[in-house]
Amino acid sequence: MPDAPPRYAIVGLGHRATMYLNALLGEHARDGALVGLCDLNPGRLDVARAKVRAAGLEVPGYGADGFDRMIGETAPHRVIVATPDNIHAQYIVRAMELGCDVITEKPLTMDADACARILDARRRTGRSIIVGFNYRYSPVRTLMKQVLMSGIIGHVKSATFEWLLDTHHGADYFRRWHRRKANSGGLFVHKATHHFDLLNWWLGSVPRRVTALGRRVFYRPETGDALGLTDRGTRCAECAAFPRCGFRLDMAGDAHLRALYLESEAHDGYLRDQCVFSDEIDIEDSMNAMIEFNNGVVANYTLTAYNPCEGYRVVFDGNRGRAELLNIERQAVKPDGSLVRPPAPEQDRIVVQPHFARPYELALPPAEGLHGGGDRVMLRRLFRDASNDQYGHVADERAGAWSAMVGMAANASLLRDGAVELAGLVPDAPLPDLVADPFGPAAIWQEFDPARYPFLEGARVL
Ligand SMILES: NC(=O)c1ccc[n+]([C@@H]2O[C@H](COP(=O)([O-])OP(=O)(O)OC[C@H]3O[C@@H](n4cnc5c(N)ncnc54)[C@H](O)[C@@H]3O)[C@@H](O)[C@H]2O)c1
């Protein structure tokens, strides 16, 4: 008789929780049993329960003040935390104190005190935490990890990482809770936690010092005025400029947004479509950081949130050559705010060039679904099989802490106008597992040899 599958409860039933709900009701229905649902907002709780009911199940729902009762009555093994970032710590800590393991959405948390509380609860309770760093799991980013681990480009000395958010996705952080630093830590924490985690993971190291600049240059009243949107309102649903605005969000016209947010807003006043040109916004939309790693690498990082297209470019320069990954996730935003996507799912290119040799473009592995195929692979890992994790995809609270700490240090650097050391930011923060030494001892590149480096199979010399 096989063991019964683990029991799951989810707290925070907004947009992101949909991925976990769909997985537990669909592809992973046999890998885990959904036993409890919790949200501050009764409207979103109802939407989630109706979805579960449509799949033939009945799962009890609880308000935010019923979290402890949910754990007591439904006895989950694991709690999935998908609330806004400023509330993660509260539920992560409480879930562990009540005897549960945790899967939390990124970022682990937003500030040093909350991070210390999580690390302390982890030590006290012995329960485990997995951070949903889905970006790591994408097949293309894993291929880049293989390139770095192989030593083909030698010891990495410097990196350049530029991430572009378009006026559809990027603008979304300026419409709702993310737009206040107190809720999200700004994009240096909320968004860049993915990118800082990727750098830590790719490089097999953690930063020691960060120097940052950050400004809000686009999502400002002046931009709305310059676009001729002077008659704009405080939110899209009540805006005279709505038909002329390329940043509009039509909640009434989208069944998912309507049910989840528009029809639920009377309960808590959460407005999903506030004007992106409001002067109430206090997060940056244009950020730069110079990050010095313990292993000597210096990375230059750029994040902008108002681009016409969405994607990223990361380059690693080593003492034997360079490797570059170029991604276009979406090609353009149309004037009505909808998207032009490249052929499914995204366009990627990895070019490697060892010293004194011609560059070659790698053949890419297939990827299915969102976030470069990362979501699907991560869900399989989380719900089905975490064994043979040879690239160290599964991230725990230490990886979560060291990625969030880079964002915290960047935010501190903005205030201080100078470099910030990570040491002591969160006292006694343990180092994450750094998968093998990516620039290991063998690592002497001699020839283009797919027999020795299987990821070269199918590569095209340029
Ligand atoms: N990994 C990714 O690619 C990815 C993508 C999107 C969002 N996220 C993360 O998922 C989390 C949720 O983001 P979202 O876009 O779904 O936000 P959302 O606003 O759509 O959903 C948040 C939910 O939490 C609920 N909530 C708020 N306060 C609560 C409380 N005190 N107790 C219980 N529930 C509460 C809200 O009512 C809402 O239903 C964030 O941490 C975000 O960083 C991750």
Side-chain angles (χ1 to χ4, degrees), residues 15-16 39 44 85 88 91 105-106 177 190 261 270:
H15 164 74
R16 186 59 175 165
D39 198 289
R44 277 187 285 280
D85 308 349
H88 286 184
Y91 284 118
E105 260 311 326
K106 47 56 56 172
W177 53 264
H190 175 79
Y261 303 103
Y270 173 179

Side-chain angles (χ1 to χ4, degrees), residues 11-17 38-41 44 64 82-85 87-88 90-91 105-107 132 134-135 176-178 190 194 261 268 270 371:
V11 57
L13 299 166
H15 164 74
R16 186 59 175 165
C38 175
D39 198 289
L40 182 70
N41 186 301
R44 277 187 285 280
T83 62
D85 308 349
I87 306 170
H88 286 184
Q90 163 193 330
Y91 284 118
E105 260 311 326
K106 47 56 56 172
N134 47 340
Y135 284 33
R176 46 181 182 144
W177 53 264
H178 314 73
H190 175 79
H194 275 307
Y261 303 103
D268 59 5
Y270 173 179
H371 296 116

Side-chain angles (χ1 to χ4, degrees), residues 263-276:
E263 289 171 358
S264 299
E265 64 187 35
H267 298 291
D268 59 5
Y270 173 179
L271 305 183
R272 174 74 178 77
D273 64 346
Q274 295 174 82
C275 181
V276 299

Side-chain angles (χ1 to χ4, degrees), residues 93-147:
V93 169
R94 193 64 190 139
M96 288 194 293
E97 286 175 349
L98 294 173
C100 305
D101 293 330
V102 172
I103 296 173
T104 182
E105 260 311 326
K106 47 56 56 172
L108 176 70
T109 188
M110 289 168 27
D111 58 58
D113 284 350
C115 195
R117 285 203 305 280
I118 291 171
L119 296 174
D120 173 61
R122 164 82 181 82
R123 282 187 283 258
R124 275 190 290 117
T125 63
R127 306 313 311 184
S128 71
I129 304 174
I130 293 177
V131 183
F133 280 132
N134 47 340
Y135 284 33
R136 285 184 177 202
Y137 297 78
S138 115
V140 171
R141 294 175 203 134
T142 303
L143 179 58
M144 180 55 103
K145 175 77 175 163
Q146 287 174 273
V147 169

